[in-house]
Amino acid sequence: MDMPATKIVATGTSPDTGYDSFRLGQFTFGRDDYFAHIAWPKGNHIIEIDRFLRAMVRDIGWGFFYGWIFFDDIFGTTNHYGTVDIFAGSYDQGYKDQGIDHLETFPAEVVKEAFETISRNWINEGYDPLSAPLETGSPLGSKTKERTDELVRGFRPATRMLGLEGDAPVRSDQTGHPINRAFADLEFDTPEIECEPGFEGQLHAINLFDHIARADVTWNPSFTAITGASICCVTSEEHMLPVIHGNDRNEWFIQLTDEIHWNIADKNTGAPRGRIVMKSGDICAMPADIRHQGFSPKRSMLMVLENGTPGLEQRYASGELKPYPVDFG
Amino acid sequence: MAYNTRVGSLAAYEKGVIELNDDLRKYAFSNIFEVAGGAQPFERVAVVQNLEYVAEVVRVEGESPWYAAPHDEFAVVMDGEVTFHFVKLEEDQVPGHAGGATRLGAKPNGPTMGKVTARRGHQVLLPKGAAYQLASAAPAVAIVQTMDGPETVKRWSDICVMA
């Protein structure tokens, strides 16, 4: 496998906007007031800058997540759990037919450093790509002052269950997470735990809705409870998922509150298959052969169940496992 | 702006739509409250299957049998109020099967650990090494994260949107 171990290189600073341009392998990255510009030997592509930064910061925080992260229909990454593909047009029939698609594989840490470097240089104070658009400033325009706080947050996973001693904490006023404005109409109480003497700490329960309602990030699932390799993640969703996710395994969505509209397309070609509207209580599988993108008109609560079994991606890719989860007999 | 958060319940839920040029069985689209509404009390109906892992919808009404599993399980109450009673199991009483909850013949004779009373949105640990019983005076709904086991009921064709 051709895997350049190069690091990201800054190639200059725009005298007009003040932003740096970069090169990683044969890809180059630049930005202007409105757009990210990506080029490779046989082609180039632009992505609206808000969408580009929202996708890039999540890709970093997710550790490139499961499978394919499409920043849009053309550009994105594929996680091989140790290495990461950066691709342009590799899953677009038009680019493939013209022979202008491009894909390079890098060590994951090289891509992580590259994306952090680009994001750090291109994000100004007052703009937070993890926040809902109504809750942050604009990324448009020339460089002002770089943010100095952490680029990513909210990604600390539970190892058994949120809130257990020694495990990831639940959000609260004390952790600096007030109830989000969009859930201010809900009432939150706490479960009553009554332990007999000698069993203190062995029984545990949390208000999961309260934890989600306090999230200061959107489209950012984090582990809350683990059964073997079955991972329960929860997330608050508002506006649009700034990536199109093509999973390398089956995953499941459980809509806890409100609704999300999902556009579904073929994973390899991007050909539309239709849509799914999930409302509170709805459950739906996302098969391993699709890409999906969600739109949440009002901030909503979503539970995601993932199977984190190592090597699963190869079993799906080889055809050993079917790309859908249920056998109807 | 005042927001109105919509949360479904047994008494009032609105199901979404699935409009795809694809075999809808691949998406196994169902609804927790619809499944619970058509279930017998304490049937553990699979609504999620991820190879050996499942999530089960449980209609909680009255007192359940006692259950135990060889691993942690987690319940999220989606409607009503559910009281979870726990009894400590001796090492040789912990089920040794591959996974999922198994039904015990009676309340185990170990020490009482305590109870948790949970309502909508609460997530409860059902720890390995403990037996548990669910109870509710009025119909309630929980979804349980667990493994495919002897109590898992599968009737996908009945609960999923097929066309």
Side-chain angles (χ1 to χ4, degrees):
Chain A
M1 181 184 295
D2 178 23
M3 187 163 56
T6 55
K7 292 167 65 79
I8 189 164
V9 176
T11 55
T13 302
S14 165
D16 299 323
T17 65
Y19 295 112
D20 288 349
S21 295
F22 300 93
R23 184 178 68 245
L24 177 65
Q26 297 187 80
F27 284 102
T28 64
F29 299 86
R31 79 156 283 186
D32 59 22
D33 285 347
Y34 289 118
F35 298 104
H37 297 254
I38 305 161
W40 57 96
K42 292 183 179 177
N44 60 77
H45 182 58
I46 66 172
I47 304 177
E48 197 275 328
I49 193 62
D50 186 35
R51 179 161 182 181
F52 179 86
L53 292 171
R54 287 179 179 279
M56 182 165 271
V57 168
R58 282 171 176 78
D59 212 8
I60 299 167
W62 292 333
F64 308 105
F65 209 38
Y66 295 112
W68 288 253
I69 298 296
F70 294 85
F71 286 36
D72 63 4
D73 287 331
I74 304 301
F75 178 81
T77 61
T78 309
N79 194 356
H80 299 295
Y81 312 97
T83 65
V84 172
D85 295 342
I86 298 179
F87 61 79
S90 303
Y91 304 95
D92 179 90
Q93 200 60 50
Y95 277 65
K96 295 291 287 183
D97 289 347
Q98 294 180 71
I100 59 173
D101 57 300
H102 187 72
L103 183 152
E104 288 183 65
T105 305
F106 301 91
E109 61 270 23
V110 168
V111 181
K112 180 174 186 288
E113 181 192 8
F115 284 10
E116 287 175 347
T117 301
I118 295 169
S119 299
R120 182 64 72 188
N121 188 267
W122 290 3
I123 292 176
N124 294 317
E125 272 191 355
Y127 169 63
D128 178 1
L130 291 177
S131 293
L134 278 174
E135 298 181 324
T136 189
S138 167
L140 307 182
S142 299
K143 190 175 178 79
T144 56
K145 186 176 180 183
E146 284 182 18
R147 275 178 49 189
T148 55
D149 57 342
E150 283 188 87
L151 278 178
V152 298
R153 63 185 186 281
F155 293 92
R156 183 181 170 190
T159 55
R160 188 184 181 198
M161 182 179 174
L162 277 182
L164 281 170
E165 187 174 348
D167 213 326
V170 293
R171 301 185 185 101
S172 66
D173 287 336
Q174 289 69 38
T175 64
H177 299 90
I179 296 289
N180 185 273
R181 75 199 194 291
F183 297 120
D185 60 315
L186 292 180
E187 292 186 5
F188 299 99
D189 60 1
T190 53
E192 288 107 43
I193 303 172
E194 301 173 45
C195 290
E196 295 295 326
F199 294 104
E200 295 86 353
Q202 295 189 37
L203 302 182
H204 182 61
I206 63 172
N207 188 330
L208 188 64
F209 282 16
D210 181 275
H211 174 77
I212 305 168
R214 294 176 182 275
D216 59 351
V217 292
T218 57
W219 305 101
N220 183 16
S222 55
F223 297 6
T224 62
I226 319 293
T227 296
S230 176
I231 304 165
C232 173
C233 312
V234 293
T235 170
S236 64
E237 319 290 53
E238 181 175 339
H239 189 237
M240 62 186 282
L241 176 61
V243 306
I244 306 163
H245 182 209
N247 212 330
D248 59 15
R249 63 199 67 201
N250 297 310
E251 64 182 338
W252 288 81
F253 292 165
I254 301 171
Q255 191 71 39
L256 298 175
T257 75
D258 304 292
E259 68 184 52
I260 298 179
H261 300 229
W262 295 96
N263 286 349
I264 308 296
D266 183 273
K267 187 166 75 179
N268 290 320
T269 68
R273 289 191 186 177
R275 70 174 191 137
I276 299 167
V277 181
M278 293 185 67
K279 300 191 176 187
S280 175
D282 286 344
I283 300 179
C284 191
M286 293 287 132
D289 62 352
I290 65 158
R291 18 174 133 168
H292 55 266
Q293 183 174 30
F295 302 83
S296 186
K298 175 198 170 291
R299 199 177 189 98
S300 65
M301 300 187 189
L302 179 69
M303 176 182 287
V304 182
L305 287 171
E306 296 278 5
N307 187 333
T309 302
L312 212 50
E313 70 281 2
Q314 293 158 5
R315 297 174 64 194
Y316 280 107
S318 70
E320 175 194 343
L321 296 174
K322 297 173 184 173
Y324 48 89
V326 172
D327 181 0
F328 278 70
Chain B
M1 176 176 174
Y3 291 91
N4 178 26
T5 301
R6 286 157 295 164
V7 189
S9 66
L10 264 178
Y13 66 90
E14 184 179 357
K15 200 170 176 181
V17 297
I18 176 166
E19 300 170 334
L20 295 170
N21 180 24
D22 203 349
D23 182 348
L24 298 190
R25 291 178 298 180
K26 293 163 64 174
Y27 300 82
F29 187 97
S30 68
N31 179 280
I32 291 169
F33 305 111
E34 186 174 71
V35 172
Q40 294 299 311
F42 307 113
E43 274 190 311
R44 301 176 66 127
V45 183
V47 290
V48 167
Q49 175 116 41
N50 230 335
L51 301 175
E52 66 267 47
Y53 300 103
V54 298
E56 301 163 336
V57 161
V58 183
R59 178 188 179 97
V60 185
E61 189 172 3
E63 292 186 343
S64 78
W66 284 83
Y67 299 105
H71 48 73
D72 287 343
E73 304 175 284
F74 302 91
V76 177
V77 176
M78 294 296 293
D79 191 19
E81 179 177 285
V82 179
T83 300
F84 298 79
H85 299 274
F86 296 91
V87 168
K88 185 71 176 176
L89 295 174
E90 298 295 333
E91 198 64 36
D92 60 359
Q93 292 179 304
V94 175
H97 64 284
T102 189
R103 184 187 303 217
L104 307 179
K107 181 179 180 180
N109 56 6
T112 298
M113 299 175 72
K115 64 180 181 179
V116 172
T117 303
R119 290 167 291 279
R120 187 184 72 186
H122 296 173
Q123 186 173 41
V124 182
L125 169 65
L126 310 176
K128 176 185 176 182
Y132 60 90
Q133 180 194 51
L134 293 69
S136 178
V141 181
I143 182 165
V144 180
Q145 175 188 349
T146 182
M147 295 185 75
D148 196 344
E151 286 297 305
T152 307
V153 173
K154 294 178 186 173
R155 47 166 181 264
W156 297 103
S157 297
D158 295 333
I159 67 170
C160 294
V161 177
M162 301 289 279

